[in-house]
Amino acid sequence: MSPQAPRSPHHVVVIGAGFGGLETVHRLAGAPVRITLVDRRNHHLFQPLLYQVATASLAPSEIAWPIRHLLRKRRDVTTLLASVEAIDKAARRIRLDDGSTLAYDTLVLATGARHAYFGHDDWEPVAPGLKTLEDATAVRGRILLAFEKAEREPDKPKQTALMTFVIVGAGPTGVELAGTIAELARATLPADFRNIDTRKARIVLIEAGPRALPAFREDLSAYAKRSLERLGVEVELGQAVTGCTAEGVVYGGKALAAATVIWAAGVQASPAAQWLEAPADRVGRLKVEPDLTVPGRPEIFAIGDAAIVARPDGRPVPGVAPAAKQEGAYVAKVIRARLAGESPPPAFRYRHAGDLATIGKRRAVIDFGWIQLRGALAWWLWGFAHIYFLIGVRNRLSVALNWLWIYARDQRSARLITRDGARLETKERG
Ligand SMILES: Cc1cc2nc3c(=O)[nH]c(=O)nc-3n(C[C@H](O)[C@H](O)[C@H](O)COP(=O)(O)OP(=O)(O)OC[C@H]3O[C@@H](n4cnc5c(N)ncnc54)[C@H](O)[C@@H]3O)c2cc1C
């Protein structure tokens, strides 16, 4: 290299193109860096609407975008479709699934989390959770297949089990799933079947804690429970699931036969803390410093669901999309300040905008802290907020149109059983 040759710019490697990683990349636009963004999937996923894919309300392509396309105008960013398997922090290299390695100057870990089964990982095949598009299409396949099989099932107890849907965990995802499956069974499907009355499907929402939507104020939790019950959902609170098989679940000492069980409880962070042999909390989230760096490793940041950082009052920053985005923006600021030789910004401070959850059509709860909303107004606001956060005009229009159609006609156009659902089915039989 000649002495005049420019030094290759500072290399920032971002692992994970979820809410946190993508925000870091966006906020580093124009900075004197080259960026490599690594994700094991080729798309960025809007997880808050995954349950709508699982319940046939939206198509997968309406809530996911190819990462390459999102960054096509950024000549400073290289996108790699690869899974990270290890990090050599001494050599400052990451190892990818094909055995190749990639050197970094600064590393941003934004690898997110998955659902956890509280030590019962063997429950996963019978009670899938929702985290990826594959999960959502598999759950959709299971729900629709259960109705298909019930239509052909002459044995009454077996038919009842096929028409029983259990959702474990009454956080926002569990509540949203239960409400939408109830609407699917009561309003969308009845005319499609001849031998069964889909309105008789049982939807049972089981929660170990004392209330639904525990992160919300008590009155909103109570409203959510009442609204679910009005939709015909059986809400079982204070009951932990202690058994889960292809035949159904055991909870509160009783067995419930159910062909479809969906897991919406528990979170397990990605193995980033193990890669680094760094301190983590009990669900594997990396414990980071107030500037979101890994202790003793100022060149490594961890953000979003993969990390845990305390707020000034000691409560942890919640594992939600806005937190991951704010952390991503903050990390970009720190990197910029370092490269400019400026003093770093003050410690990360999370700004909580509010909590939202919907309970089927025309019912939602919103807690902004300073004001609480429930009912139809909250539902419309929830809808507008989600459409606003989607990427691209086409997707916004398409989702809005789908929702208006469901609102007016109760029709859900994505009622497709694809190979994911069929494969799960084969696996179960095998
Ligand atoms: C069903 C569901 C509903 C939700 N609803 C809401 C909601 O209504 N509101 C809200 O605010 N939050 C919601 N959340 C939470 C929110 O989605 C997360 O807090 C947010 O996605 C965290 O962002 P992240 O960037 O940390 O991780 P993610 O968005 O999960 O992104 C992680 C990325 O890392 C990639 N990755 C992981 N491991 C590797 C690896 N080894 N190699 C390469 N790439 C890897 C993944 O493919 C993924 O693209 C929901 C989550 C789920 C699952």
Side-chain angles (χ1 to χ4, degrees):
M1 192 198 276
S2 79
Q4 285 81 25
R7 278 185 60 220
S8 88
H10 188 93
H11 188 204
V12 179
V13 172
V14 179
I15 311 177
F19 287 102
L22 206 54
E23 189 69 13
T24 304
V25 173
H26 284 321
R27 298 293 183 120
L28 280 174
V33 293
R34 70 189 167 94
I35 302 168
T36 304
L37 176 59
V38 186
D39 201 297
R40 62 182 171 201
R41 305 198 178 269
N42 84 328
H43 52 266
H44 168 76
L45 177 63
F46 193 79
Q47 291 169 17
L49 291 180
L50 260 183
Y51 81 96
Q52 297 234 347
V53 173
T55 51
S57 308
L58 293 176
S61 60
E62 286 172 315
I63 62 159
W65 302 266
I67 300 163
R68 277 185 196 291
H69 181 72
L70 292 177
L71 297 168
R72 66 196 180 284
K73 293 188 181 145
R74 290 283 301 277
R75 307 303 300 175
D76 55 328
V77 182
T78 302
T79 303
L80 294 185
L81 175 64
S83 187
V84 174
E85 295 198 326
I87 299 171
D88 182 342
K89 53 190 179 187
R92 299 193 180 184
R93 287 189 158 271
I94 60 170
R95 197 183 74 227
L96 306 178
D97 47 354
D98 63 356
S100 65
T101 63
L102 188 65
Y104 60 83
D105 297 307
T106 296
L107 180 64
V108 182
L109 289 164
T111 42
R114 265 198 83 76
H115 30 268
Y117 288 83
F118 309 117
H120 295 281
D121 289 350
D122 53 312
W123 292 355
E124 184 162 18
V126 282
L130 267 191
K131 180 66 188 174
T132 62
L133 278 182
E134 291 88 339
D135 293 338
T137 49
V139 167
R140 181 181 71 185
R142 281 190 182 212
I143 295 170
L144 297 175
L145 265 174
F147 285 112
E148 293 293 340
K149 286 176 154 189
E151 173 85 346
R152 295 172 54 191
E153 180 56 67
D155 182 82
K156 271 284 159 207
K158 281 188 189 159
Q159 194 184 60
T160 306
L162 283 165
M163 286 176 59
T164 302
F165 300 85
V166 171
I167 298 106
V168 184
T173 299
V175 165
E176 287 166 349
L177 273 170
T180 318
I181 296 173
E183 287 182 340
L184 185 72
R186 312 269 187 267
T188 305
L189 295 179
D192 295 7
F193 288 86
R194 300 291 170 267
N195 300 326
I196 54 169
D197 181 355
T198 61
R199 287 169 298 189
K200 291 193 175 141
R202 279 184 77 187
I203 294 103
V204 186
L205 177 64
I206 306 175
E207 163 62 44
R211 57 194 177 98
L213 297 181
F216 287 70
R217 271 176 32 157
E218 264 185 53
D219 53 333
L220 296 181
S221 290
Y223 171 81
K225 180 171 181 283
R226 280 198 310 276
S227 302
L228 284 168
E229 285 169 346
R230 220 170 285 157
L231 284 171
V233 176
E234 299 167 42
V235 185
E236 299 274 13
L237 300 176
Q239 316 259 18
V241 168
T242 51
C244 212
T245 65
E247 275 68 54
V249 292
V250 178
Y251 71 99
K254 51 189 182 237
L256 174 65
T260 311
V261 183
I262 308 170
W263 195 260
V267 166
Q268 178 67 47
S270 78
Q274 291 165 32
W275 296 335
L276 293 171
E277 292 169 344
D281 72 353
R282 100 197 130 73
V283 298
R285 289 176 294 196
L286 265 161
K287 289 185 181 166
V288 290
E289 303 284 7
D291 65 353
L292 309 183
T293 55
V294 170
R297 285 283 158 189
E299 74 284 10
I300 306 180
F301 296 87
I303 59 174
D305 286 2
I308 177 114
V309 63
R311 292 192 242 186
D313 63 5
R315 282 179 306 148
V317 170
V320 292
K325 287 179 85 163
Q326 289 174 29
E327 290 175 359
Y330 174 85
V331 164
K333 241 193 229 172
V334 177
I335 295 172
R336 279 177 182 278
R338 283 183 186 171
L339 293 174
E342 293 165 1
S343 48
F348 172 72
R349 224 187 153 93
Y350 170 64
R351 293 171 311 281
H352 189 63
D355 293 303
L356 291 77
T358 147
I359 318 142
K361 207 164 91 175
R362 297 189 199 93
R363 288 193 187 93
V365 287
I366 301 185
D367 188 353
F368 287 123
W370 55 278
I371 188 171
Q372 286 74 36
L373 299 170
R374 62 174 78 166
L377 175 62
W379 184 79
W380 283 102
L381 271 178
W382 173 93
F384 282 121
H386 281 73
I387 285 172
Y388 174 79
F389 284 113
L390 290 171
I391 301 173
V393 177
R394 191 185 64 84
N395 277 36
R396 287 193 186 123
L397 286 176
S398 151
V399 169
L401 192 65
N402 259 317
W403 285 353
L404 282 177
W405 206 248
I406 293 169
Y407 187 81
R409 307 286 303 270
D410 282 315
Q411 282 310 310
R412 291 174 162 79
S413 54
R415 297 203 300 274
L416 308 174
I417 302 173
T418 55
R419 279 180 60 208
D420 286 336
R423 202 181 57 227
L424 273 164
E425 196 53 18
T426 323
K427 239 177 20 190
E428 257 174 38
R429 284 214 207 103

